[in-house]
Amino acid sequence: VRVAALEGMFASAANWEGVPETVGSFTSFNVNASLVPRLSFEGAKGNVVFVALYDDGHREGLQLTDGLEVQVTSGYEQSLEVRNDSAHFYAEVPLDGESGVGQLLTGNWRDTCSGALVANGTADVTVLLAVPVAIQVTASETNIANANDTAALLGIPTSARLSVVLLFNDGSSRNASEDTRAVFNVTTGASLAYLDR
């Protein structure tokens, strides 16, 4: 028996069809699942699986311990980063990532003793990053006072936390409050307040 091919699959989610709303005892039903190989924002990730296809028709899922290596296909390093948790692989969109579509991941299966290449293959991934179209900034307090002011002694807070939410062209949103790229400036009353990260 020899390896006929190495097939790669990537999934960030699964779509299920045919799942009944209620299920009784001893009920059987068929469902269909389709993998979603798409990522649309920084930090989004999905699982990477490579399967060896043998010429006798059977299939075998491979892991890192089997000699599997997974990397981003040359030219797409700004779209994905590959990571593993000692056995399984996953791919993630890096900070300041770029969109990319196609065979973004390459798998190489090597013999664990000799290091010789047994088979290689690719996995299709779609990275289409949503574009931010608006920013919402909110403060945890509407009024703040100087710590040395009498108002502070009367219970007026001396600080407020700023929250930033990015709104994207696909209707989604993401909290960017902790993003180091967020820059705040005090434009009115600069002598009365300062920013502390």
Side-chain angles (χ1 to χ4, degrees), residues 24-42:
S25 300
F26 307 106
T27 302
S28 66
F29 55 91
N30 293 322
V31 297
N32 294 318
S34 59
L35 301 179
V36 179
R38 179 183 170 133
L39 299 170
S40 58
F41 58 91
E42 295 174 345

Side-chain angles (χ1 to χ4, degrees), residues 135-138 162-166 174-178 182-184:
I135 299 173
Q136 288 180 338
V137 180
T138 56
L162 299 177
S163 297
V164 178
V165 174
L166 298 177
R174 185 172 67 87
N175 189 320
S177 302
E178 302 299 324
V183 177
F184 301 95

Side-chain angles (χ1 to χ4, degrees), residues 26-128:
F26 307 106
T27 302
S28 66
F29 55 91
N30 293 322
V31 297
N32 294 318
S34 59
L35 301 179
V36 179
R38 179 183 170 133
L39 299 170
S40 58
F41 58 91
E42 295 174 345
K45 58 184 147 183
N47 295 310
V48 181
V49 176
F50 276 87
V51 176
L53 308 177
Y54 293 90
D55 59 4
D56 67 354
H58 85 273
R59 303 160 68 91
E60 176 187 10
L62 300 175
Q63 299 180 353
L64 181 65
T65 52
D66 298 317
L68 179 65
E69 303 168 344
V70 177
Q71 64 251 353
V72 177
T73 303
S74 179
Y76 292 105
E77 293 83 357
Q78 293 301 114
S79 297
L80 287 174
E81 293 176 346
V82 174
R83 305 189 189 290
N84 68 72
D85 61 5
S86 76
H88 303 94
F89 289 92
Y90 64 95
E92 181 176 359
V93 179
L95 193 67
D96 287 329
E98 297 176 359
S99 293
V101 178
Q103 297 174 338
L104 275 58
L105 297 171
T106 301
N108 294 313
W109 182 21
R110 297 190 179 278
D111 184 284
T112 53
C113 295
S114 69
L117 183 66
V118 178
N120 61 3
T122 59
D124 288 333
V125 183
T126 298
V127 178
L128 289 176

Side-chain angles (χ1 to χ4, degrees), residues 149-184:
D149 194 289
T150 307
L153 298 173
L154 296 173
I156 301 295
T158 58
S159 65
R161 182 168 183 79
L162 299 177
S163 297
V164 178
V165 174
L166 298 177
L167 305 176
F168 293 92
N169 62 345
D170 65 355
S172 64
S173 62
R174 185 172 67 87
N175 189 320
S177 302
E178 302 299 324
D179 194 316
T180 57
R181 296 168 295 175
V183 177
F184 301 95

Side-chain angles (χ1 to χ4, degrees), residues 138-151:
T138 56
S140 61
E141 305 294 339
T142 54
N143 297 303
I144 58 174
N146 186 299
N148 299 321
D149 194 289
T150 307

